[in-house]
Amino acid sequence: MDTINLFLYLFLSVFAFFLLRAMAAAHLRRRKTRLPPGTVGLPFIGETLQLISAYKTENPEPFIDDRVSKYGNIFTTHIFGEPTVFSADPETNRFILQNEGRLFESSYPGSIQNLLGRYSLLLMRGTLHKRMHSLTMSFANSSILKDHLLADIDRLVRLNLDSWTGRVFLMEEAKKITFNLTVKQLMSFDPCDWTENLMKEYMLVIEGFFSIPLPIFSSTYRKAIQARRKVAEALGLVVRDRRKEREGGERKNDMLEALFEGDGGGVEGGGGFSDEEIVDFMLALLVAGYETTSTIMTLAVKFLTETPHALSHLKEEHEEIRLRKGEIESLQWEDYKSMPFTQCVVNETLRIANIISGVFRRAKTDISIKVILSRHVYSMTLPIFNAIL
């Protein structure tokens, strides 16, 4: 009986997906004269496979370049289960971002939303988004940086460096550092078996962001959904335990404590943040800091390696601080502020490196920008460092 039910479930799921895909294709055909040129590719899958395969190579731009050469800077495609307009036009992208909140709003495909959670900061809008954003920024003020963050960075980086033996994969080590630091700032956990297991599950969630959003056929996306559930359960348990500790008068100086103290709000505008809101918010912050920071750290080393003069200047600046303090004493705020060339290296890395391939936006209504855009808009910023280097 179970086999029959499973077969029936699979059949109905596949039938529903292809029915929805056929309806979407028919909708696009009806509006073909109003949409940018392009193709929707295979049923439901669209051109997702081509995009994923391109981004697993050293140079993902051919996916964009091939279609730009064929259709122009704005073209229609179908990725991650949704028909999408892809923009590689700077003027169009500027218009979209300048009209954030009026004509366009932040929105991601359903497949990614399922992994982020409905209360993710990336998906929030309106008053709740402003409150969460304000909370995040208030926790990144200079006093927090001086009193807590800098000391944690120094300690965790030293801990990571002490574990290096033999061949080192810099990107992986940078990810460990940023993940452990983010977990520390969010929940006051130092590296341990719990954080290591959380990172393993979290990495599976990340892998699912850019995969075929069909659990039946995609083991990557299926594992990501399962991992997301485990991560949410682990974070939810921490939230519940901390609430009990607060009832006993215990307080900690971290982001979770700030969320507990957030005055009023919630989705409906009353009471504090719910456990689900807090879990989704923390998961989103892990996403925001994990890939971006580790990528910048790795690219900074790459660019310095390719620029010996800059690397020599950077070493001189740090060697001077090391000789003044010794190797054991931790860095202080004054040391951080006495690194002007290091700050230049960071700023230049941010300028020439493209750490975010693009951002998703949804048009609130049909907008005419040279051509008529559909409700699904993918605003793409091309990597500028390829043109500069």
Side-chain angles (χ1 to χ4, degrees):
M1 185 65 180
D2 290 338
T3 303
I4 296 176
N5 289 337
L6 177 60
F7 177 79
L8 182 61
Y9 170 77
L10 292 174
F11 174 79
L12 291 176
S13 298
V14 173
F15 178 77
F17 275 126
F18 279 94
L19 178 62
L20 290 173
R21 171 62 182 80
M23 293 171 62
H27 177 68
L28 287 176
R29 282 196 296 270
R30 287 195 300 270
R31 301 180 57 180
K32 189 172 182 180
T33 57
R34 303 178 61 200
L35 287 173
T39 177
V40 294
L42 298 172
F44 186 76
I45 295 175
E47 296 188 298
T48 307
L49 288 176
Q50 292 94 317
L51 179 65
I52 292 173
S53 61
Y55 270 82
K56 288 186 177 180
T57 66
E58 295 182 356
N59 181 22
E61 277 69 60
F63 177 87
I64 305 165
D65 295 341
D66 292 347
R67 286 153 184 79
V68 167
S69 63
K70 186 182 297 184
Y71 304 116
N73 286 338
I74 304 175
F75 57 88
T76 300
T77 182
H78 192 286
I79 55 175
F80 306 121
E82 296 190 21
T84 304
V85 169
F86 208 116
S87 171
D89 179 66
E91 184 180 341
T92 299
N93 294 342
R94 188 179 301 109
F95 175 83
I96 292 172
L97 295 176
Q98 286 177 341
N99 285 277
E100 179 84 17
R102 294 187 294 274
L103 300 177
F104 302 90
E105 61 186 11
S106 178
S107 179
Y108 286 76
S111 57
I112 296 179
Q113 291 187 39
N114 291 337
L115 296 174
L116 290 175
R118 58 176 175 166
Y119 298 126
S120 166
L121 186 62
L122 295 174
L123 304 174
M124 288 180 185
R125 305 184 187 96
T127 303
L128 183 59
H129 179 272
K130 291 180 180 178
R131 289 184 58 235
M132 284 292 199
H133 184 269
S134 177
L135 244 175
T136 305
M137 297 307 295
S138 67
F139 200 74
N141 60 54
S142 59
S143 63
I144 294 291
L145 294 176
K146 287 190 289 186
D147 299 338
H148 303 282
L149 183 59
L150 187 60
D152 286 332
I153 292 175
D154 185 284
R155 182 172 54 84
L156 291 174
V157 169
R158 289 173 185 264
L159 184 65
N160 185 271
L161 290 175
D162 289 341
S163 69
W164 287 11
T165 57
R167 190 178 184 184
V168 174
F169 293 94
L170 184 60
M171 184 71 168
E172 298 304 315
E173 297 303 321
K175 287 181 178 180
K176 290 179 184 178
I177 293 172
T178 54
F179 184 84
N180 286 329
L181 179 63
T182 305
V183 170
K184 176 65 175 178
Q185 297 305 304
L186 285 177
M187 299 170 284
S188 298
F189 276 96
D190 281 318
C192 58
D193 291 340
W194 184 85
T195 60
E196 186 175 342
N197 291 330
L198 183 70
M199 182 175 176
K200 289 178 181 178
E201 297 297 336
Y202 180 75
M203 290 176 68
L204 293 176
V205 176
I206 293 291
E207 291 176 5
F209 284 157
F210 298 100
S211 63
I212 299 295
L214 190 58
I216 297 174
F217 298 117
S218 174
S219 60
T220 301
Y221 193 69
R222 183 169 62 252
K223 291 177 181 177
I225 292 293
Q226 295 169 350
R228 202 273 177 199
R229 189 178 303 114
K230 293 180 181 178
V231 170
E233 290 174 354
L235 295 180
L237 181 60
V238 171
V239 172
R240 291 192 294 273
D241 288 344
R242 284 284 295 274
R243 286 193 188 277
K244 293 179 181 178
E245 292 175 1
R246 295 184 85 251
E247 291 175 0
E250 184 176 346
R251 297 289 190 274
K252 293 182 179 179
N253 192 10
D254 54 21
M255 177 60 75
L256 182 53
E257 189 66 33
L259 290 171
F260 285 141
E261 294 178 356
D263 181 31
V267 176
E268 303 300 330
F273 295 115
S274 68
D275 286 5
E276 185 181 0
E277 287 175 302
I278 292 175
V279 167
D280 286 356
F281 179 72
M282 291 197 299
L283 195 149
L285 286 184
L286 285 170
V287 172
Y290 178 73
E291 289 285 347
T292 54
T293 307
S294 58
T295 299
I296 281 295
M297 291 168 64
T298 306
L299 287 174
V301 174
K302 175 183 183 296
F303 296 151
L304 284 169
T305 304
E306 296 170 349
T307 317
H309 178 69
L311 178 59
S312 176
H313 195 163
L314 184 73
K315 285 182 176 179
E316 290 178 7
E317 183 172 85
H318 285 253
E319 187 68 17
E320 182 179 331
I321 297 173
R322 189 184 70 84
L323 291 174
R324 187 173 67 245
K325 297 180 63 66
E327 296 185 0
I328 299 178
E329 187 179 352
S330 62
L331 291 174
Q332 303 298 319
W333 183 253
E334 293 74 20
D335 301 317
Y336 168 72
K337 298 298 289 184
S338 66
M339 301 178 183
F341 187 76
T342 301
Q343 188 61 58
C344 290
V345 169
V346 173
N347 291 339
E348 184 67 0
T349 303
L350 289 169
R351 186 183 72 82
I352 64 178
N354 183 42
I355 59 174
I356 299 178
S357 304
V359 293
F360 287 89
R361 292 294 183 267
R362 185 184 297 270
K364 292 184 175 182
T365 184
D366 288 350
I367 310 294
S368 177
I369 310 177
K370 298 181 181 178
V371 293
I372 299 296
L373 300 182
S374 72
R375 288 181 180 271
H376 297 279
V377 179
Y378 185 73
S379 178
M380 179 70 186
T381 303
L382 293 175
I384 61 173
F385 72 86
N386 282 344
I388 294 174
L389 293 183

